Amino acid sequence: MAIPDYQSLMLPVLRNAAEREQRVPDLADRIANDLGLSEEEREELLPSGRQRVLHNRVHWAKFYMSKAGLIDSPARGRFIASEAGRRFLASNPERLDTHTLMQIPEFVEFYESSKSGSSGASQDAMDQGEAEGSSATPEEQIEQAYRSLNAALRADLLDRIRENSPVFFEKLIVDLLVAMGYGGSHKNAAEQLGRSGDGGVDGVINEDRLGLDRIYVQAKRYAEGNSIGRPEVQGFVGSLVGLGATKGVFVTTSGFSRGAVEYAHNLPQRVILIDGNRLADLMIEHGVGTRSQQIVRIQRLDEDFFTEDG
């Protein structure tokens, strides 16, 4: 079964906390057993890869209930149901969620103060989640916002590249390869790329700063939907064979057909295919062709708060 959202976990968390003092890792394991979660579901990570999804949701369930006065924390990393939490359970509730917590003055005070005193992506995500009735944790909403912003930036970068000249594209590839550590200095890379003149090869660049090995490059600035097929990749590989080369990079602003990908995968030479999406991702990762104000960096929540003991 799917991992329950953090609001669905509130009542089980509170019931367990009413039995005895709890720690998030131990309680997460117990809830996983009760729900019959698979090993894969238990180990599922957030997109950031820094925390397990189930642990994250138990954290937020516990955190919100603590702000409502239903949970007490007698020591770091440990929590237990408060007297108010026990009274709430005594009423035999069928559901406990943020709408329920909004009936508790302590939680309303926390919520209003957080809206007035907080700024940044974390608060934006919380506001968006409240408006949409989202059951994702604020951290999950932040990561979704980060992915959405990166996707928008990726599309914008590719549009701008396609609007420019082939010479611009070649210079862009030089910038990217140098930023990734290839070609030595920018000057040396620029001198080598685009000067080969061999059919099917646009240039050659040093793999390392000492020039011990070289990588041959093909760059195709194609419109979206105009994918690179197997014949184009075969032509590039033929040029590599003629040059006695063993490594090549084929870069395009569009994509590669399935036949082209399968062909490159089974070659004795090492040929890397970089499509438009991967190209844009590499540009964002290495800060090439992007201005700082274009890249929105999401502020991460305090990792010390979300430890495995928390």
Side-chain angles (χ1 to χ4, degrees), residues 228-238 250 256 260 263-264 267 271 273:
I228 302 293
R230 175 169 173 163
E232 289 94 332
V233 178
Q234 282 181 309
F236 177 53
V237 173
F250 200 131
F256 295 92
Y263 172 74
L267 288 170
V271 177
L273 305 182

Side-chain angles (χ1 to χ4, degrees), residues 25-42:
D26 298 334
L27 182 53
D29 288 341
R30 181 173 181 178
I31 289 175
N33 290 335
D34 292 342
L35 297 175
L37 297 182
S38 67
E39 191 64 28
E40 182 179 1
E41 289 167 330
R42 294 166 189 252

Side-chain angles (χ1 to χ4, degrees), residues 68-308:
L70 304 181
I71 290 286
D72 286 336
S73 298
R76 178 177 171 81
R78 298 182 180 277
F79 61 96
I80 193 168
S82 66
E83 288 301 318
R86 295 175 190 278
R87 288 196 300 270
F88 177 82
L89 289 174
S91 66
N92 295 318
E94 295 182 359
R95 173 76 175 175
L96 175 56
D97 53 25
T98 54
H99 292 291
T100 309
L101 298 182
M102 287 298 289
Q103 308 305 312
I104 302 175
E106 291 88 343
F107 187 77
V108 174
E109 182 180 356
F110 155 74
Y111 181 76
E112 294 299 329
S113 64
S114 67
K115 290 183 67 176
S116 61
S118 299
S119 61
S122 60
Q123 186 58 46
D124 291 341
M126 292 177 70
D127 291 343
Q128 180 183 356
E130 180 68 21
E132 297 177 356
S134 173
S135 58
T137 68
E139 195 168 50
E140 289 173 317
Q141 294 171 35
I142 289 170
E143 296 204 4
Q144 178 58 49
Y146 180 79
R147 291 195 299 271
S148 297
L149 289 167
N150 260 0
L153 177 56
R154 183 168 57 229
D156 181 64
L157 284 172
L158 290 175
D159 286 342
R160 291 175 183 272
I161 292 171
R162 295 185 185 111
E163 291 170 359
N164 278 280
S165 67
V167 174
F168 170 87
F169 186 40
E170 288 185 0
K171 291 181 178 179
L172 176 67
I173 300 304
V174 170
D175 290 339
L176 177 59
L177 291 171
V178 171
M180 294 175 66
Y182 299 106
S185 69
H186 187 281
K187 178 181 178 181
N188 289 339
E191 287 177 350
Q192 293 178 48
L193 191 64
R195 289 177 177 264
S196 175
D198 292 284
V201 173
D202 289 331
V204 58
I205 189 168
N206 289 334
E207 183 176 10
D208 56 81
R209 293 181 180 275
L210 297 178
L212 296 176
D213 204 351
R214 300 198 294 176
I215 299 173
Y216 290 80
V217 180
Q218 174 83 343
K220 293 294 184 183
R221 186 179 57 91
Y222 279 10
E224 184 178 7
N226 188 10
S227 62
I228 302 293
R230 175 169 173 163
E232 289 94 332
V233 178
Q234 282 181 309
F236 177 53
V237 173
S239 297
L240 296 181
V241 173
L243 293 166
T246 60
K247 299 176 182 178
V249 176
F250 200 131
V251 187
T252 182
T253 52
S254 58
F256 295 92
S257 69
R258 182 175 179 178
V261 173
E262 292 176 349
Y263 172 74
H265 180 72
N266 295 317
L267 288 170
Q269 296 89 354
R270 182 64 171 165
V271 177
I272 302 299
L273 305 182
I274 300 178
D275 62 15
N277 286 334
R278 188 177 180 190
L279 170 63
D281 285 338
L282 289 171
M283 290 173 61
I284 294 171
E285 179 182 351
H286 295 279
V288 175
T290 60
R291 293 176 294 181
S292 59
Q293 62 264 34
Q294 288 178 302
I295 303 178
V296 181
R297 301 190 182 279
I298 304 301
Q299 296 178 352
R300 297 295 183 181
L301 299 175
D302 187 357
E303 292 185 15
D304 291 336
F305 181 81
F306 294 105
T307 63
E308 288 297 295

Side-chain angles (χ1 to χ4, degrees), residues 57-77:
R57 293 178 182 178
V58 171
H59 270 299
W60 279 104
K62 181 262 293 184
F63 174 75
Y64 280 143
M65 287 190 292
S66 70
K67 295 304 180 182
L70 304 181
I71 290 286
D72 286 336
S73 298
R76 178 177 171 81

